Amino acid sequence: MNYFYHEALLFDFPRSTMHTMQMLMLLLFTGSYTLLMALVGLFFGVKMPALTWTNEIMPIKQGAPVMLTLFCGFGYMVLLFVGFMLLPGWILGFLRYMSCFVGANLLLSVLIYLWLRKKGVARFSAL
């Protein structure tokens, strides 16, 4: 069927509502995942600072915190995919499964943020 998008919203309401909810959940997941990975990178940067370097690029591109954050992000995406395919993720459905991950992202983000505000600040100021 060749409907324009606005016709689909007018004449196919239940399907368009689900589509809108799925898009909203994808946006929420993307935002929460970005926040989580930024805080994880900051956490690893505070825990393992690269203070001895000969080039300005070394602590930015070749440091252990960068690699750990990168591999944590890859592992998290693998967990997301494997959890949906092999675990009961497909039984929950897309919206419920992604909302579980959004909740986990936000919970982990709050925990890391609180650590950074308390112990992370003291650790950074001791450098």
Side-chain angles (χ1 to χ4, degrees), residues 42-112:
L42 188 57
F43 172 76
F44 285 139
V46 169
K47 289 287 275 187
M48 297 176 285
L51 300 176
T52 57
W53 42 271
T54 57
N55 189 356
E56 292 87 8
I57 299 298
M58 286 186 66
I60 298 169
K61 301 260 185 193
Q62 297 174 353
V66 176
M67 294 302 291
L68 280 172
T69 304
L70 182 72
F71 289 134
C72 283
F74 286 157
Y76 194 79
M77 285 297 116
V78 167
L79 176 70
L80 180 71
F81 178 73
V82 169
F84 190 76
M85 292 301 181
L86 298 179
L87 298 174
W90 60 274
I91 295 171
L92 291 174
F94 177 77
L95 289 176
R96 289 187 193 110
Y97 185 72
M98 291 304 285
S99 65
C100 290
F101 270 87
V102 167
N105 288 348
L106 292 175
L107 177 69
L108 289 172
S109 295
V110 166
L111 291 175
I112 293 172

